[in-house]
Amino acid sequence: MSERDSPPPVQRAFSNAPMPREPRVPRIWETLVLFHLGVLVVGLSWWFGGQSPGARQGLLVWATLGALLFFVAWGSLRQVGAAGNGPFRHLWPLLLFDLLVVVSCFNPSTRIVMHQGEQMFQHITPHWSWLPSSARPDLSWRELWQFNGIVLSCYNAFLILQRKRSLRVLLTVIAVNALALAVFGTFQKLTGANGLWFGMVPTLQPYFFATFVYHNHWGAFTTLNLAACLALLFHTLRRGGHRDFWHSPVFLGSVAVVFIAATAPLSGSRSSTALEMLFLAGALTHFLAYTVRRRRAHHESAALQIGAIVLAAVVALAGILYLSRDVIRSRAQLTTEQIQAITAEDTLNSRLQLYADTWRMAAEKPVFGWGLESYGDVFRIFNSQRPGELWFGARVYREAHNDWFQALAEVGFAGTVCLLLLGVAPLWRVKWRRVASSLPRYLLAGCGLVLLYAWVEFPFANPSVMVGFWLGLFVAGRYARLDFVSQQEENGAPHA
């Protein structure tokens, strides 16, 4: 509701008429969006996290349906005045990013040649050297299709879900699915399975977990799931209405959070384990501060309750360490061996050299990059750990193990800035100081940790992680707006 649509403060103060409300989205659209996103989150995570050829084909189809749902629903909402120009305000960076990639696809920087009976890609100077170009237009088209489908599907939560309850239902689906995957993965790990689905699907990666081929992808996925769980827990805690902590859904939810968090060290992911421990430590500190404030408000001592909470946290940590003792021991031994190797060689290890070579690749075309999804083929030229060749078709490194550097190498500074603006746009105009709920803040904290994680790994190469990230970001932005509006309505003030 805009300022001009609401009555003046004096008139409203002496009027018993209810405040005008913005048009509601038809319930059918909320139901369709919840169903579509629920299937996307659950189906993709159980289908190898989207990392199999079949899963990626299914993702393209289902995400395309989400994009169609976006356009159809937006047209319907505009007719009832419930959509406005919101998508343009938030998705203009996506349109600009799409333009850059589409132009690059029509300006290839490679040609297909035959070399010793094999089809290879040879680097050439693009026809328009001052425009964006792509070394692999075929892969750029496919990746752009997938990216737009994911973003628009997740943006449906921002555009169409106009009730906080609907957003919490979606987060509940995410949390329950995460717990089910954690239980499945734990049993699979404890039984000594040598492949996915209890050994039925073999994998060359020894540190797989649950249905995820790569343990670090599972770690990033779990971080986002923990954010959703903690967001719901602190919402339930703030709402109250329970006799005490031990007789509320918060207690059972806390047990679920601990169980989900235990899968990070159990999977063997060292970096994600450190991030999740940091995340949980912050949440525990928040909970202790809340407990102290509540006790002081009732003029009661918080010492006993604080002691019980700390004891429970220590017991939970001990249980996690005991459950993951074998994996932690082997990963600690590997870490020691890696440190000793680096010290003995007195040189940068292969990971740091990989980053340096990726940066050289990005510096070669700093504005527009080499083309979306072209890293795996182009990097062969810049790989100093293997003699560079003009011909590149062999797959040495498909990922840079640093999503930030890889983005700069593939889409340059121009494309990377567009992606950053796409994440900031739905959060920009939110008056965060007047948002009372901690739910959106926990979702954004999870997204922030994954962005931090992307400096040392490649979480966004996993479709499930990408869906979880954009969904968490858009749900946080939407929930914050709804919470601010509800606060304004409770105080009898107009809202924008």
Side-chain angles (χ1 to χ4, degrees):
M1 183 189 303
S2 62
E3 292 286 346
R4 64 182 180 183
D5 294 331
S6 60
V10 176
Q11 177 184 347
R12 185 172 58 252
F14 294 93
S15 173
N16 293 325
M19 291 181 58
R21 299 180 62 88
E22 61 184 19
R24 281 291 184 186
V25 174
R27 189 64 60 85
I28 182 62
W29 292 118
E30 288 200 348
T31 303
L32 287 174
V33 167
L34 286 174
F35 173 76
H36 179 267
L37 290 175
V39 172
L40 179 64
V41 170
V42 177
L44 196 62
S45 62
W46 285 89
W47 202 352
F48 307 113
Q51 287 294 90
S52 70
R56 288 191 177 273
Q57 291 286 351
L59 171 61
L60 290 177
V61 174
W62 196 250
T64 300
L65 292 177
L68 293 176
L69 178 61
F70 163 78
F71 288 110
V72 174
W74 182 30
S76 176
L77 296 179
R78 283 181 62 85
Q79 294 179 0
V80 298
N85 296 319
F88 284 115
R89 292 200 308 269
H90 307 136
L91 297 181
W92 64 267
L94 178 63
L95 295 176
L96 187 56
F97 179 80
D98 289 348
L99 177 62
L100 295 176
V101 176
V102 169
V103 170
S104 73
C105 291
F106 287 101
N107 192 29
S109 60
T110 60
R111 64 181 177 185
I112 300 177
V113 297
M114 297 301 296
H115 179 65
Q116 297 180 354
E118 295 185 13
Q119 180 175 285
M120 310 290 285
F121 295 90
Q122 184 185 26
H123 177 63
I124 61 174
T125 302
H127 186 70
W128 297 286
S129 58
W130 52 277
L131 287 176
S133 62
S134 175
R136 291 297 305 270
D138 55 332
L139 299 182
S140 296
W141 280 117
R142 184 182 180 88
E143 187 68 16
L144 186 66
W145 180 7
Q146 175 182 292
F147 180 71
N148 276 266
I150 289 176
V151 171
L152 292 179
S153 295
C154 295
Y155 186 77
N156 286 335
F158 187 99
L159 176 66
I160 300 173
L161 301 184
Q162 295 190 352
R163 296 182 302 158
K164 291 193 290 184
R165 182 178 180 275
S166 298
L167 295 170
R168 291 195 298 269
V169 167
L170 180 59
L171 293 178
T172 302
V173 171
I174 294 174
V176 172
N177 179 64
L179 180 60
L181 278 168
V183 172
F184 174 82
T186 300
F187 276 108
Q188 182 175 255
K189 192 74 174 181
L190 295 180
T191 56
N194 58 359
L196 300 171
W197 289 98
F198 290 94
M200 291 188 295
V201 181
T203 175
L204 298 177
Q205 169 58 254
Y207 290 105
F208 62 90
F209 193 85
T211 58
F212 283 65
V213 177
Y214 188 41
H215 62 303
N216 284 333
H217 287 164
W218 169 259
F221 179 74
T222 305
T223 301
L224 295 169
N225 291 332
L226 281 178
C229 293
L230 291 172
L232 290 173
L233 283 181
F234 278 94
H235 165 77
T236 304
L237 188 66
R238 177 171 174 264
R239 186 180 59 183
H242 311 290
R243 188 170 67 183
D244 54 32
F245 169 77
W246 311 104
H247 297 83
S248 71
V250 179
F251 173 69
L252 295 178
S254 301
V255 174
V257 165
V258 171
F259 195 89
I260 294 172
T263 61
L266 190 61
S267 69
S269 178
R270 294 167 291 184
S271 49
S272 62
T273 297
L275 286 179
E276 290 180 17
M277 291 299 102
L278 178 64
F279 197 9
L280 292 177
L284 179 61
T285 302
H286 181 197
F287 180 55
L288 292 175
Y290 169 85
T291 302
V292 170
R293 289 195 304 269
R294 186 178 178 183
R295 285 291 187 177
R296 287 180 177 177
H298 292 81
H299 304 287
E300 299 174 350
S301 174
L304 182 60
Q305 194 165 5
I306 293 297
I309 295 172
V310 171
L311 178 62
V314 171
V315 171
L317 179 60
I320 291 175
L321 295 176
Y322 178 79
L323 185 66
S324 310
R325 62 191 183 281
D326 294 334
V327 177
I328 292 175
R329 187 182 301 112
S330 64
R331 297 300 281 175
Q333 181 179 357
L334 178 60
T335 301
T336 302
E337 293 174 355
Q338 290 173 339
I339 294 175
Q340 291 174 348
I342 293 173
T343 303
E345 295 173 4
D346 196 25
T347 59
L348 293 175
N349 62 16
S350 60
R351 178 65 66 88
L352 293 180
Q353 189 59 50
L354 173 62
Y355 294 164
D357 292 340
T358 302
W359 180 254
R360 287 195 303 111
M361 175 180 168
E364 188 77 16
K365 291 188 176 183
V367 180
F368 299 119
W370 291 84
L372 186 64
E373 197 62 13
S374 63
Y375 179 85
D377 294 298
V378 177
F379 182 71
R380 182 183 177 96
I381 301 174
F382 299 91
N383 185 9
S384 64
Q385 300 180 67
R386 179 172 177 175
E389 302 175 10
L390 179 62
W391 308 90
F392 54 93
R395 299 181 178 181
V396 181
Y397 282 105
R398 298 306 303 176
E399 308 292 342
H401 291 263
N402 184 314
D403 281 338
W404 290 93
F405 282 178
Q406 184 164 335
L408 291 174
E410 290 188 348
V411 295
F413 282 92
T416 303
V417 169
C418 288
L419 295 176
L420 290 174
L421 291 175
L422 179 60
V424 171
L427 310 174
W428 185 254
R429 300 183 64 183
V430 177
K431 298 179 180 179
W432 289 101
R433 292 184 179 180
R434 305 185 67 177
V435 175
S437 175
S438 60
L439 186 148
R441 292 181 173 85
Y442 271 97
L443 294 178
L444 292 181
C447 293
L449 287 175
V450 172
L451 289 175
L452 180 63
Y453 191 41
W455 281 103
V456 296
E457 271 297 340
F458 52 107
F460 291 102
N462 182 274
S464 275
V465 174
M466 188 179 293
V467 169
F469 175 85
W470 288 107
L471 194 56
L473 189 145
F474 287 133
V475 169
R478 187 58 178 165
Y479 200 96
R481 279 173 164 78
L482 293 176
D483 187 76
F484 172 74
V485 170
S486 63
Q487 294 292 327
Q488 292 291 89
E489 290 179 347
E490 289 177 4
N491 297 329
H495 55 83

